[in-house]
Amino acid sequence: MKSVGIIGARGHTGAELIRLIAAHPGLELAFVSSRELEGQRVADSVPGHASDLRYVNLDAAVTAQQDVDAVVLALPNGKAAPYVAAIDAAAPSRIVVDLSADYRFDRQWYYGLPELTRTRYSGHKRISNPGCYATAMQLALAPLVDDLAAPPACFGVSGYSGAGTTPSDKNDLDKLRDNLMPYALTGHVHEREVSEQLGLPVEFMPHVAPHFRGITLTANLWLRQPTTRDAIRERYARGYTGEALIRLVDDPPWVSCIAGRHHCEIGAFALAPGGKRVVVVATLDNLLKGAATQALQNLNTALGFDELAGIPLTDGERA
């Protein structure tokens, strides 16, 4: 049995990760740290969690002294560095998985999008979890990257859970009602993240919608050479053969069908006249495959478990 602690577990992703770790056959949840929830029972704020574990409030120095196999940092962007520095000094062999953007551009860290990067993993102890939009974009684009004639243009729509729990316009239900809210239309951190990982410029336009969870990512792609829809579909099928958390569908996938599920759906593969323009649509749950499920994939790999251990796949996800 391996032990895991979570720092910054107040948010939506933290709750999902608590549920996944608690149900994992080889993991035990050693501590859950949240300044706002200190002293409260975890079960009172995470439905379905049955233990008597209570939230604690651990600073970086105390976190580094905890006797655990792995620590997951579920903190806002810009907050991870003190914890990483303290763990580097006190326990450099401890696994750290960071869910923020703080180390996604650090080449000393393993960037953990398993379906695309698992061959780069070589025992790394520091793992950066990709962003939710960035996961959807990369999975939608990767099979055609070598054939692109222009920067891909990606239109993304996320449920408001992606804005976190700190009050803002992007999670204000009164402002979101009957609305689609564009924001950060150039230079979004996930635009830079995907451009870095795929090695080409990517154009990304994010929006928030009034549903709670799930991302729809529509990618407009121009190809150097004309092709057929069947050839494109076959390219994706070859690229994702055997991937339990990627499901290809013929029609454009619906975000309502992915909420609460652990896989990414990719579909549409709509080809314009002339055969050089294709539109691909990807959907995933931003709190699961876009965050907690992917973190568990990375924890499993680093701790020696099967990559999919503890991920409750349905028959549809295993297909």
Side-chain angles (χ1 to χ4, degrees), residues 19-70:
R19 280 189 280 265
L20 285 171
I21 291 175
H24 193 291
L27 298 180
E28 59 180 356
L29 201 54
F31 63 82
V32 182
S33 178
S34 169
R35 183 179 69 253
E36 295 88 347
L37 301 177
E38 182 180 10
Q40 298 181 31
R41 294 176 68 247
V42 173
D44 292 339
S45 58
V46 181
H49 185 74
S51 80
D52 291 327
L53 192 67
R54 291 182 179 271
Y55 291 99
V56 293
N57 182 16
L58 305 182
D59 63 18
V62 175
T63 298
Q65 298 304 317
Q66 302 303 301
D67 185 17
V68 292
D69 295 293

Side-chain angles (χ1 to χ4, degrees), residues 132-154:
C132 52
Y133 271 130
T135 296
M137 271 191 280
Q138 288 176 81
L139 293 176
L141 301 177
L144 292 179
V145 162
D146 293 338
D147 299 295
L148 296 179
C154 300

Side-chain angles (χ1 to χ4, degrees), residues 32 105 140 173 202 231-232 241 257 278 280 296-297 303:
V32 182
F105 299 90
L173 291 182
V202 174
I232 291 170
T241 297
C257 297
V278 60
V280 178
L296 187 56
Q297 287 179 269
L303 293 172

Side-chain angles (χ1 to χ4, degrees), residues 242-257:
E243 295 293 354
L245 297 186
I246 296 181
R247 183 179 177 189
L248 303 184
V249 296
D250 286 326
D251 295 325
W254 290 6
V255 72
S256 60
C257 297

Side-chain angles (χ1 to χ4, degrees), residues 259-316:
R261 308 285 290 277
H262 296 273
H263 66 273
C264 173
E265 290 193 354
I266 304 173
F269 309 112
L271 195 65
K276 285 189 174 183
R277 175 181 169 239
V278 60
V279 179
V280 178
V281 179
T283 58
L284 55 74
D285 189 314
N286 53 298
L287 303 179
L288 294 176
K289 180 54 180 166
T293 302
Q294 194 140 260
L296 187 56
Q297 287 179 269
N298 288 321
L299 279 172
N300 280 332
T301 296
L303 293 172
F305 297 106
D306 181 90
E307 186 185 292
L308 300 177
I311 299 174
L313 302 182
T314 66
D315 289 341

Side-chain angles (χ1 to χ4, degrees), residues 10-316:
R10 170 176 172 263
H12 303 305
T13 296
E16 296 290 356
L17 198 52
I18 287 168
R19 280 189 280 265
L20 285 171
I21 291 175
H24 193 291
L27 298 180
E28 59 180 356
L29 201 54
F31 63 82
V32 182
S33 178
S34 169
R35 183 179 69 253
E36 295 88 347
L37 301 177
E38 182 180 10
Q40 298 181 31
R41 294 176 68 247
V42 173
D44 292 339
S45 58
V46 181
H49 185 74
S51 80
D52 291 327
L53 192 67
R54 291 182 179 271
Y55 291 99
V56 293
N57 182 16
L58 305 182
D59 63 18
V62 175
T63 298
Q65 298 304 317
Q66 302 303 301
D67 185 17
V68 292
D69 295 293
V71 173
V72 178
L73 302 178
L75 295 163
N77 291 343
K79 302 293 185 181
Y83 289 88
V84 172
I87 295 171
D88 282 348
S93 63
R94 183 171 302 152
I95 304 299
V96 177
V97 177
D98 180 35
L99 272 61
S100 78
D102 292 6
Y103 294 94
R104 292 177 193 157
F105 299 90
D106 189 331
R107 295 300 180 90
Q108 297 183 62
W109 284 55
Y110 166 67
Y111 181 84
L113 204 172
E115 291 78 9
L116 301 181
T117 69
R118 68 168 66 92
T119 58
R120 303 179 207 163
Y121 183 78
S122 58
H124 296 77
K125 305 299 183 182
R126 303 290 177 262
I127 300 172
S128 180
N129 219 57
C132 52
Y133 271 130
T135 296
M137 271 191 280
Q138 288 176 81
L139 293 176
L141 301 177
L144 292 179
V145 162
D146 293 338
D147 299 295
L148 296 179
C154 300
F155 182 93
V157 180
S158 174
Y160 63 86
S161 60
T165 55
T166 301
S168 72
D169 286 351
K170 295 195 292 291
N171 56 24
D172 185 324
L173 291 182
D174 288 333
K175 293 181 178 178
L176 285 172
R177 187 174 295 112
D178 300 321
N179 191 20
L180 185 64
M181 187 180 294
Y183 69 100
L185 295 175
T186 62
H188 190 285
V189 64
H190 291 174
E191 178 179 274
R192 292 185 280 116
E193 178 182 342
V194 175
S195 297
E196 169 86 4
Q197 291 298 320
L198 295 184
L200 78 166
V202 174
E203 300 167 354
F204 173 50
M205 297 146 286
H207 300 68
V208 177
H211 62 273
F212 177 66
R213 63 198 302 159
I215 281 174
T216 299
L217 191 289
T218 302
N220 185 69
L221 311 175
W222 284 96
L223 308 177
R224 291 196 300 267
Q225 300 294 329
T227 188
T228 66
R229 186 181 188 276
D230 287 345
I232 291 170
R233 183 69 161 72
E234 176 60 25
R235 179 75 66 85
Y236 280 78
R238 288 200 311 270
Y240 294 131
T241 297
E243 295 293 354
L245 297 186
I246 296 181
R247 183 179 177 189
L248 303 184
V249 296
D250 286 326
D251 295 325
W254 290 6
V255 72
S256 60
C257 297
I258 203 71
R261 308 285 290 277
H262 296 273
H263 66 273
C264 173
E265 290 193 354
I266 304 173
F269 309 112
L271 195 65
K276 285 189 174 183
R277 175 181 169 239
V278 60
V279 179
V280 178
V281 179
T283 58
L284 55 74
D285 189 314
N286 53 298
L287 303 179
L288 294 176
K289 180 54 180 166
T293 302
Q294 194 140 260
L296 187 56
Q297 287 179 269
N298 288 321
L299 279 172
N300 280 332
T301 296
L303 293 172
F305 297 106
D306 181 90
E307 186 185 292
L308 300 177
I311 299 174
L313 302 182
T314 66
D315 289 341

